[in-house]
């Protein structure tokens, strides 16, 4: 029974899962990696530390198998800026997608129309933790880092380079913000609009669908696996989770309740509405005729963990807290925008900030926690509407381990949610792609779900709550600095 090890390199945790040809897990391992939070909203990672976690989880997982794996499939966090030399060594610490150092630049680009101009060409918005503002920032403040680099890439391709000696990037990672998703080439007009066309040589050409790499001697020694073993690099975690969650039909969607509240819908068109707000991404998938309209908000489990800490409670208390406060949280409302980098979907505003409103002495910790959970649910509905959800909806991520919170999402969305029984869907999606690229039979790909239905009798509460949330959000956006959204120029993608 052939096994492929899928590796999901998360922001703070790296997981490896070995799956058989039917998609059943055989062995797994997990390691934490370090995230460095620095003044000025800076968030960085050490590439060597990330590679260490990958090596350890692969070794541990492979050791638990009766025979060596037939391949390794990588996925992981996207965006950020992972600068390396031609040997795969970091020329500076990797800048995380959570980083906020370039927030002022994004605010300026929103005001002067740069973001809208790029969006009209590529179908992807921008936020402080993506390539464009980070490259522009380094071009001004750290030009030597750019001179020393051979490639400006992402987490997954950085690890792949260490293991294979090859510089290669999956089209899904390369999407934001410069890629024309129709022809899978970089739109040089987008680079020029951001003033960084001189850095174009740092962007690796997206790999063709079906690309398979192999372990070189250094990678084989790191993983304790045979030299020449096949390795696939990507898609990154958002599309990998969609594939692993069974999102196959146009209009179907996925809600990832993790550090990022990532909402995605499968589409057969990469066309963008030139009048739409410039947010989200049109992610390339392994199928050239399919894209994922992705709205990865910054308001996921981090906001929940913050409110639990603030109230002196814990994740284990969440079910009881939600049970102790009725839908509507007794009139307490929240805006969940707590990231130092602001928000990136379904709108972009580096100045976005969180709020709690309507509190009185009569309210309890349970009301405050429920208000934040409901606000995150409203943000999910906003994102899924913007992404064009029309089919079935799956959900995954650490937040779905809480049955009461998943029920709250179903109630707010007013639709059934399918939660895969196999929770490591990112690694599973990467393995499914690897088997396809290696020409192996797909197997039955049978997948078990448990479904969560919206409850009767509370729809009106959440319809009113969602309308109030959208009104409060519109008002707050004016207060955050009144970022002007100028109509884009140029043709839309299609």
């Amino acid at each position: 029974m052939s096994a492929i090890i899928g590796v999901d390199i998360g922001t703070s945790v790296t997981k490896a899962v070995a799956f058989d040809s039917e998609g059943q897990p055989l062995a797994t391992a997990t390691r934490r990696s370090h995230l460095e939070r620095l003044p000025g909203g800076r968030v960085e990672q050490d590439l060597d530390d990330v590679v260490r976690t990958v090596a350890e989880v692969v070794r541990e997982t492979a050791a638990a198998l009766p025979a060596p794996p037939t391949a390794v499939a990588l996925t992981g966090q996207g965006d950020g800026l992972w600068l390396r030399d031609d040997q795969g060594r970091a020329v500076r610490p990797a800048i995380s997608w959570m980083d906020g150092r370039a927030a002022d630049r994004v605010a300026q680009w929103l005001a002067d129309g740069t973001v809208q101009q790029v969006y009209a060409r590529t179908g992807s918005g921008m936020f402080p933790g993506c390539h464009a503002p980070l490259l522009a920032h380094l071009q001004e403040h750290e030009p030597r880092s750019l001179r020393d680099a051979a490639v400006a890439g992402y987490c997954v391709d950085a690890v792949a380079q260490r293991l294979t000696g090859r510089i290669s990037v999956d089209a899904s990672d390369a999407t934001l913000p410069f890629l024309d998703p129709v022809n899978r080439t970089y739109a040089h007009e987008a680079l020029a609009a951001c003033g960084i066309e001189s850095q174009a040589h740092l962007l690796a050409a997206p790999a063709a669908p079906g690309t398979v790499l192999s372990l070189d001697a250094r990678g084989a020694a790191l993983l304790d696996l045979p030299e020449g073993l096949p390795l696939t690099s990507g898609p990154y975690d958002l599309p990998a989770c969609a594939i692993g969650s069974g999102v196959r039909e146009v209009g179907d969607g996925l809600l990832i309740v993790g550090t990022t509240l990532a909402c995605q819908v499968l589409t057969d068109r990469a066309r963008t509405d030139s009048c739409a707000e410039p947010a989200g991404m049109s992610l390339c998938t392994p199928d050239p005729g399919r894209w994922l309209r992705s709205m990865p908000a910054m308001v996921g489990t981090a906001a929940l963990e913050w409110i639990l800490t603030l109230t002196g409670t814990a994740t284990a208390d969440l079910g009881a807290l939600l049970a102790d406060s009725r839908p509507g949280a007794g009139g307490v409302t929240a805006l969940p925008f707590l990231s130092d980098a602001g928000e990136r979907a379904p709108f972009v505003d580096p100045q976005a900030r969180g709020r709690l409103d309507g509190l009185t002495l009569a309210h309890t910790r349970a009301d405050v926690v429920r208000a934040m959970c409901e606000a995150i649910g409203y943000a999910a509905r906003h994102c899924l509407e913007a992404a064009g959800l029309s089919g079935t909806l799956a959900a995954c991520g650490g937040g779905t381990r809480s049955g009461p919170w998943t029920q709250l999402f179903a109630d707010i969305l007013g639709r059934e949610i399918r939660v895969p029984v196999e929770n490591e869907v990112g690694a599973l999606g990467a393995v499914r792609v690897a088997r396809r690229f290696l020409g192996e039979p797909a197997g039955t790909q049978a997948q078990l779900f448990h479904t969560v239905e919206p409850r009767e009798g509370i729809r009106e509460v959440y319809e009113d709550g969602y309308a109030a949330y959208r009104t409060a959000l519109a008002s707050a956006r004016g207060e955050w600095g009144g970022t002007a959204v100028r109509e884009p120029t140029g043709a839309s993608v299609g």
Side-chain angles (χ1 to χ4, degrees), residues 35-48:
L35 198 66
E36 191 74 24
R37 295 184 180 273
L38 302 165
R42 294 176 296 156
V43 185
E44 299 183 342
Q45 286 194 275
D46 183 340
L47 175 56
D48 290 339

Side-chain angles (χ1 to χ4, degrees), residues 320-337:
L321 289 165
L322 292 176
D324 286 344
S325 177
R326 296 178 60 80
V332 181
T333 62
L335 293 178
F337 309 109

Side-chain angles (χ1 to χ4, degrees), residues 78-161:
D79 302 310
L81 185 62
W82 298 63
L83 288 174
R84 297 105 62 190
D85 65 16
D86 58 2
Q87 298 299 308
R89 296 170 297 214
V91 302
R92 68 168 327 283
I95 302 177
S96 169
W97 61 270
M98 301 173 70
D99 193 272
R101 75 187 69 193
D104 289 347
R105 192 173 302 269
V106 174
Q108 175 189 334
W109 285 352
L110 280 166
D112 67 19
T114 299
V115 171
Q116 292 81 2
Q117 184 178 351
V118 172
Y119 180 82
R121 187 67 184 85
T122 67
S124 290
M126 283 192 273
F127 68 102
C130 74
H131 262 48
L134 291 175
L135 284 170
H137 178 88
L138 294 187
Q139 184 172 263
E140 179 180 354
H141 298 287
E142 288 186 37
R144 182 172 179 177
S145 294
L146 297 178
R147 289 196 299 269
D148 291 344
V151 59
Y154 307 84
C155 175
V156 176
D157 58 274
V159 173
Q161 186 181 0

Side-chain angles (χ1 to χ4, degrees), residues 400-423:
T400 61
R401 295 190 181 100
S402 168
W405 199 17
T406 306
Q407 181 65 64
L408 186 150
F409 277 109
D411 292 340
I412 288 176
L413 295 170
R415 62 165 59 237
E416 175 187 277
I417 296 176
R418 304 192 311 160
V419 182
V421 172
E422 171 52 55
N423 198 52

Side-chain angles (χ1 to χ4, degrees), residues 185-232:
T185 58
Y186 296 112
H188 289 284
E189 308 95 316
L191 285 154
C194 298
I196 52 176
E197 61 269 37
S198 62
Q199 310 304 333
H201 68 284
L202 296 177
L203 305 178
T211 296
V212 177
L213 310 175
S214 60
L215 296 180
D216 64 8
R218 180 176 63 170
L222 277 170
L223 302 187
D224 196 21
L225 292 173
E227 185 175 353
L229 188 79
L231 179 143
T232 55

